[in-house]
């Protein structure tokens, strides 16, 4: 029911408005009558009415002063002002102060009913919109998470729909600052963990260290695999992975029901767009699989792969990597071939091409800039290697990405 306060120093006017109209038939209630502006202000604070019908000329405090004071109290109410013919200038001032309606005295009941019911309908709509907005604000994090999970799992592929959902759900993530972490386990009893427990572990990480940001979302929770979107803090990758691995191992060991044999953690490169999260997740999973293939007895390969990722923008050689690890190049090459079935050069080139593909979908980068960022100073040579691996030139790959985005 819409609540209305009447403020008028003329007794017969206030009583007439209250008693000569069957307000309940319109789902409206006259909560009280005030006979001057000061009393009207007190009642407005007490009742917080939806509508105030007020005279302008009144003793002690006039209608305009009362409206001003009520506005200062931040009371959400709408005003209908009543005045005589000689108060036109006052009325103009009232309208400039956001008064909804202005009626001349003497007011016909029919005219007053029309004004009040129209305003009441507007208020009901505003309340319904506010209620929906409040509900969306409360539920938005849930729907945001559902949406991001669907993107991560490649259930939503239409770029236009993704962009529309980002706007509709008011997702404020700057995706150029986020990376996807993949966690894989080997052991028993891992399904007892809830998403809340995983989130708590990452909250602890965010509070304890500078490597993991405060914003993250658990996007995927399988039996032996988790996917987490984390805020990139611009720190060295090996340090991030070490912190995450140690924290998760502590959490796992605290559960007596769990028998953990091994845990692998990997992290994607930074993405530019929301729709690239699926690719980022797949990248992180592949890196996990590489770690699993390598095995813990080949720590040198882990370190070599970490070094490649951290120096991807440089023209590094096998000798550079081996030297950084205090190993002989021939021994390191043998380990790669034996454990991964690939040469070190093949692994490095694969890594460069994957990063290049991610950069090329961003229209702000030119092909020569992408080449430099993945360690190639010769753009023509970069184009030749890229086409050999992808089947098309870097320029064609970039154009195809833009066209797909435009079509969607």
């Amino acid at each position: 029911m819409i609540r209305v306060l009447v403020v008028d120093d003329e007794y017969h006017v206030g009583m007439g408005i209250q008693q000569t109209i069957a307000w309940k038939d319109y789902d409206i209630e006259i909560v009280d009558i005030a006979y001057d502006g000061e009393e009207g202000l007190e009642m407005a604070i007490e009742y917080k009415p939806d509508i105030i019908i007020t005279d302008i000329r009144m003793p002690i405090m006039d209608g305009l002063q009362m409206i001003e004071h009520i506005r200062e109290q931040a009371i959400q109410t709408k005003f209908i002002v009543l005045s005589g013919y000689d108060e036109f200038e006052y009325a103009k001032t009232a309208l400039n102060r956001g008064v909804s309606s202005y009626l001349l005295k003497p007011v016909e009941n029919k005219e007053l009913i029309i004004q009040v019911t129209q305003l009441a309908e507007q208020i009901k709509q505003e309340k319904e919109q506010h209620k929906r907005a409040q509900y969306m604000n409360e539920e938005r994090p849930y729907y945001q998470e559902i949406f991001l999970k669907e993107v991560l799992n490649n259930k939503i592929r239409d770029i236009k729909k993704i962009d529309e959902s980002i706007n509709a759900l008011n997702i404020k993530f700057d995706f150029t600052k986020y990376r996807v972490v993949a966690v894989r386990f080997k052991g028993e009893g891992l399904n007892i963990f809830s998403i809340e427990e995983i989130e708590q572990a990452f909250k602890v990480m965010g509070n304890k260290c500078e490597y993991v940001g405060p914003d993250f979302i658990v996007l995927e929770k399988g039996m032996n695999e988790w996917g987490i979107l984390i805020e990139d803090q611009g720190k060295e990758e090996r340090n991030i992975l070490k912190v995450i691995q140690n924290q998760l191992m502590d959490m796992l060991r605290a559960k007596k029901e769990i028998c953990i044999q091994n845990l692998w953690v990997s992290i994607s490169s930074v993405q530019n767009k929301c729709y690239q999260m699926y690719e980022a997740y797949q990248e992180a999973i592949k890196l996990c699989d590489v770690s699993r293939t390598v095995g813990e007895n080949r720590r040198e390969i882990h370190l070599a792969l970490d070094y490649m990722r951290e120096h991807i923008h440089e023209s590094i050689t096998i000798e550079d990597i081996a030297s950084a690890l205090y190993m002989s190049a021939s021994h390191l090459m043998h380990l790669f071939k034996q454990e991964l079935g690939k040469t070190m050069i093949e692994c490095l080139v694969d890594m460069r091409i994957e990063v290049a593909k991610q950069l090329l979908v961003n229209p702000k980068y030119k092909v020569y800039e992408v080449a430099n960022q993945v360690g190639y100073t010769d753009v023509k040579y970069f184009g030749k290697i890229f086409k050999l691996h992808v089947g098309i030139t870097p320029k064609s790959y970039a154009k195809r990405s833009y066209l797909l985005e435009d079509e969607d």
Side-chain angles (χ1 to χ4, degrees), residues 176-179 211 213 230-235 240 267 270:
T176 63
K177 295 181 179 178
Y178 283 80
R179 307 170 81 173
Y211 297 109
I230 69 164
E231 186 181 6
D232 182 60
Q233 297 294 293
K235 305 296 180 181
I240 299 172
I267 189 166
V270 176

Side-chain angles (χ1 to χ4, degrees), residues 2 8 41 45 70 73 79 88 98 113 153 183 236 293 318 326 338 362:
I2 297 296
D8 200 302
L41 175 60
I45 293 170
I70 290 172
Q73 295 292 322
F79 297 93
F88 181 69
I113 290 169
N153 290 291
V183 183
E236 282 194 14
T293 305
I318 294 172
Y326 303 102
Q338 182 182 46
N362 190 331

Side-chain angles (χ1 to χ4, degrees), residues 27 70 91 109 172 193 215 221 299 306 320 353 359:
D27 198 30
I70 290 172
N109 279 2
K172 298 296 186 183
F193 278 104
D215 295 329
K221 177 186 174 291
R299 179 173 171 273
D306 286 344
D320 293 330
I353 296 301
L359 293 173

Side-chain angles (χ1 to χ4, degrees), residues 268-326:
S268 74
S269 52
V270 176
Q271 302 304 302
N272 295 308
K273 298 283 187 179
C274 177
Y275 62 80
Q276 292 176 310
M277 279 204 304
Y278 172 71
E279 293 176 9
Y281 189 35
Q282 296 309 304
E283 177 194 345
I285 288 172
K286 284 179 184 176
L287 292 172
C288 267
D289 290 340
V290 169
S291 298
R292 291 173 71 178
T293 305
V294 170
E296 289 192 3
N297 61 324
R298 289 291 182 246
R299 179 173 171 273
E300 297 92 342
I301 296 180
H302 285 287
L303 294 173
L305 291 170
D306 286 344
Y307 186 89
M308 289 179 189
R309 281 192 289 271
E310 289 171 19
H311 297 269
I312 196 77
H313 59 287
E314 300 172 20
S315 298
I316 54 173
T317 63
I318 294 172
E319 287 72 21
D320 293 330
I321 301 169
S323 177
L325 302 181
Y326 303 102

Side-chain angles (χ1 to χ4, degrees), residues 145 148-149 152-153 217-221 227-229 277:
E145 194 168 315
L148 291 173
K149 283 181 179 179
L152 186 76
N153 290 291
I217 297 178
V218 178
L219 296 173
E220 178 69 12
K221 177 186 174 291
I228 303 103
L229 185 68
M277 279 204 304

